[in-house]
Amino acid sequence: LENVILDTKGNENLYTYALRLSNNSQLKIEDGTTITGTYAMNYAPIVCYDSSVIMNGGSICHNTLHAYSIGAGAVMLAGLNQSSTFEMNGGEIYDNSNDVEGGAISTRGTRHSSSIIINGGKIHSNTARGGGAIFVTKGTLKMTNGEVYNNKAIIEGDTSGEGGGAIIIQNNSTATLTGGKIYNNYSDMSGGAIQVYANSDLTMSNMEIYNNVAETHAGAICVADLYQKDEETKSILTISNSKIYGNLARSRVSEDNHVSDPFSPGGGAIY
């Protein structure tokens, strides 16, 4: 798609996606293309089954997902018979929202793992209950360049979100971040930038992670297992040659109720 505007005008009667790929298809998004205005009750504006999306330019923006189970604000990957892949080399994904996990991009826990590759571009100003920008479950994330910023993991009202203002990595997933910036993200729970748990691994080098905020703990990165007291932590964080600064954990949780589990407040940078 080049110089194409795909706009469903926020029609709440459609309840569906703008594009669906399957059976080893490939979509390329180039400069001048905008995918916008999708209002869906499940899945995402772009749904990718056993296929790939390569984004070299353009934008995916102003989409709304009111999902009750799975989906993403912009692109959802699912591997039913083979892996699905989203590769971003340029362009912007911004101002998308999702009532569940993955404000912009998500992988789903299907038979085959899916991959998100960020080599450039900007992912910003997205909102979800968890993983304000990216949600990875039973998948992989690789980031070599680009910027992820101003995303939020939050639910309005009395219910807290699930953490990871920018990214959640969970459920036997791996993430390798070797370049780029993650900044100015917000979580109304833990992991202002990144949340890692449930047997998942995060390896970082040559990264900048700064000015992220968590309301409870881990202003930048939270590493834990399941949110259950006395549960053994099995996830692994490895960092080299990176800058982590200016992050804040507000620690708005009573220590009387949570003295030794992952809800305990603390960790301005890492918990």
Side-chain angles (χ1 to χ4, degrees):
L1 297 177
E2 186 172 6
N3 295 319
V4 172
I5 297 176
L6 182 57
D7 186 355
T8 59
K9 305 293 185 182
N11 188 339
E12 297 185 11
N13 295 317
L14 292 179
Y15 297 135
T16 187
Y17 32 75
L19 292 166
R20 172 174 170 157
L21 286 76
S22 61
N23 299 322
N24 202 29
S25 300
Q26 184 182 86
L27 170 67
K28 288 187 177 181
I29 302 172
E30 305 289 352
D31 289 341
T33 293
T34 300
I35 298 171
T36 188
T38 300
Y39 182 101
M41 293 302 292
N42 237 350
Y43 305 115
I46 301 175
V47 180
C48 185
Y49 290 106
D50 306 331
S51 298
S52 63
V53 177
I54 300 173
M55 186 171 184
N56 295 319
S59 62
I60 307 172
C61 57
H62 309 311
N63 299 290
T64 301
L65 180 68
H66 287 302
Y68 58 85
S69 58
I70 62 172
V75 181
M76 187 190 87
L77 305 174
L80 301 179
N81 299 303
Q82 65 185 51
S83 296
S84 290
T85 303
F86 175 80
E87 178 180 330
M88 186 174 187
N89 301 309
E92 292 186 68
I93 303 176
Y94 66 94
D95 194 29
N96 303 286
S97 65
N98 183 2
D99 286 350
V100 290
E101 301 89 355
I105 311 164
S106 73
T107 71
R108 311 314 305 187
T110 47
R111 289 193 298 271
H112 296 267
S113 65
S114 294
S115 299
I116 299 170
I117 303 167
I118 309 296
N119 297 320
K122 298 178 180 181
I123 304 174
H124 65 92
S125 309
N126 303 285
T127 305
R129 185 171 70 193
I134 298 171
F135 175 74
V136 183
T137 183
K138 292 185 179 179
T140 62
L141 168 65
K142 294 181 180 179
M143 182 175 178
T144 64
N145 207 340
E147 299 179 42
V148 182
Y149 62 95
N150 288 354
N151 302 284
K152 293 182 179 181
I154 188 171
I155 290 183
E156 301 293 339
D158 296 331
T159 304
S160 293
E162 295 186 2
I167 301 168
I168 282 182
I169 304 156
Q170 69 159 37
N171 202 5
N172 300 296
S173 295
T174 61
T176 305
L177 313 181
T178 58
K181 298 178 181 180
I182 302 174
Y183 60 96
N184 289 356
N185 301 286
Y186 172 84
S187 169
D188 73 351
M189 194 172 132
S190 56
I194 303 173
Q195 183 106 306
V196 185
Y197 67 101
N199 298 315
S200 297
D201 298 338
L202 168 60
T203 302
M204 282 180 16
S205 62
N206 303 309
M207 291 293 298
E208 281 193 69
I209 300 180
Y210 59 94
N211 293 353
N212 302 284
V213 176
E215 287 294 341
T216 59
H217 54 282
I221 304 170
C222 179
V223 183
D225 209 302
L226 300 176
Y227 292 133
Q228 296 174 3
K229 192 170 183 178
D230 300 325
E231 185 77 20
E232 181 182 358
T233 297
K234 300 177 182 178
S235 298
I236 299 172
L237 170 65
T238 305
I239 302 174
S240 63
N241 301 319
S242 295
K243 297 178 181 179
I244 302 174
Y245 58 92
N247 302 284
L248 173 65
R250 292 197 170 119
S251 299
R252 294 183 178 176
V253 174
S254 171
E255 289 194 54
D256 293 336
N257 296 328
H258 302 284
V259 295
S260 62
D261 63 25
F263 284 105
S264 298
I270 300 171
Y271 186 96

